[in-house]
Amino acid sequence: MGKFDGILLCTDLDGTLLKNDRTISRENLEAIAYFKENGGLFTFVTGRMPIFAADICRALDPNAPFGCVNGGGLFDYRAGRYVWHQALSRDVLPLIALVDENCPDVGIQINTFDDTYLYKDNPTMRIFEEVAGRSFPSPHYTAIKEPFAKILFGSEDEAALLAARDLLLLHPLAENFDFIRSEKAFYEILPKGINKGTALREMVRHLPTPITKTVAVGDYDNDVAMLKAADCGVAVANACDAAKAAADMLTVSNEEHAIAHVIAGL
């Protein structure tokens, strides 16, 4: 019997597991290895697509499928395949057109389950490409035939992003989708009922090992549903107010090896 048998630990990445320079501390890596060696199941849920999480997977070697595209999919890193995913309805096209036609300064990114397309460029999307270390194709969104995973709107201009949000939420089709602020510069459309909490619940359902306790750690608006869905939701010290309010407990910041602290307390 391992000390952590039956425990599933699921963390957000940016602002939670990752330091501000996007690295993983030695303390966190050692604690995660100890947790797995003693029976725990460790993974993460992120807004990223699997292709953008490969380096992190190599560093962490999660022993449970990880959640991607803000809860819309579960990807088994070791098997190299999705074990579950939920696509957006094509009814989302009028909402994309709404922002395209009325918000000239807001960038538009289309995410399928395997690719990213930058339909409408702007400074935020160029920063995204710099961080990703590559450029992305830019076909018209109506020409993309693959199932959509999520739609991402981006702007460094808070007022422009909020204007896009307000337009979207007033559209008659808005009730068919969910919306989330995933970072300060990003606003996203997701399938109805899809969020990081959904991914956590689906993860438990797909795991062959019985789970007796789920622990989730996060810092931002898109982590709130996951923190509420977990048996124990933990917000880092640098978390936004909504994440702190949703959590059962607080821990140290992402700069202070938060995941190591959480594991030490299990």
Side-chain angles (χ1 to χ4, degrees), residues 17-36:
L17 171 65
L18 303 185
K19 296 170 63 178
N20 293 340
D21 63 3
R22 299 181 183 268
T23 62
I24 306 170
S25 72
R26 175 182 55 81
E27 289 85 351
N28 277 341
L29 287 172
E30 290 177 352
I32 291 165
Y34 170 73
F35 176 75
K36 292 189 297 179

Side-chain angles (χ1 to χ4, degrees), residues 95-128:
L95 295 180
I96 301 172
L98 183 71
V99 175
D100 186 26
E101 295 164 6
N102 294 282
C103 304
D105 297 327
V106 175
I108 302 175
Q109 180 185 127
I110 313 297
N111 286 270
T112 68
F113 291 98
D114 297 305
D115 290 296
T116 291
Y117 300 94
L118 293 186
Y119 162 65
K120 191 172 184 180
D121 199 11
N122 75 344
T124 303
M125 295 305 171
R126 287 192 285 276
I127 292 170
F128 179 89

Side-chain angles (χ1 to χ4, degrees), residues 124-156:
T124 303
M125 295 305 171
R126 287 192 285 276
I127 292 170
F128 179 89
E129 286 188 313
E130 289 173 10
V131 171
R134 53 174 288 195
S135 59
F136 298 93
S138 54
H140 195 276
Y141 55 87
T142 57
I144 301 169
K145 302 307 180 187
E146 305 157 66
F148 292 171
K150 68 175 185 176
I151 311 301
L152 188 150
F153 304 102
S155 178
E156 303 303 307

Side-chain angles (χ1 to χ4, degrees), residues 201-262:
R201 288 188 290 270
E202 287 292 332
M203 202 178 297
V204 171
R205 193 167 72 85
H206 281 82
L207 285 170
T209 305
I211 300 300
T212 57
K213 183 179 183 179
T214 56
V215 181
V217 193
D219 77 303
Y220 205 63
D221 290 354
N222 59 334
D223 297 318
V224 166
M226 179 174 71
L227 297 176
K228 289 181 176 180
D231 295 319
C232 179
V234 184
V236 290
N238 53 289
C240 69
D241 290 342
K244 288 179 178 177
D248 299 297
M249 58 182 293
L250 302 181
T251 189
V252 298
S253 78
N254 66 315
E255 289 288 300
E256 300 170 284
H257 330 299
I259 302 306
H261 279 265
V262 171

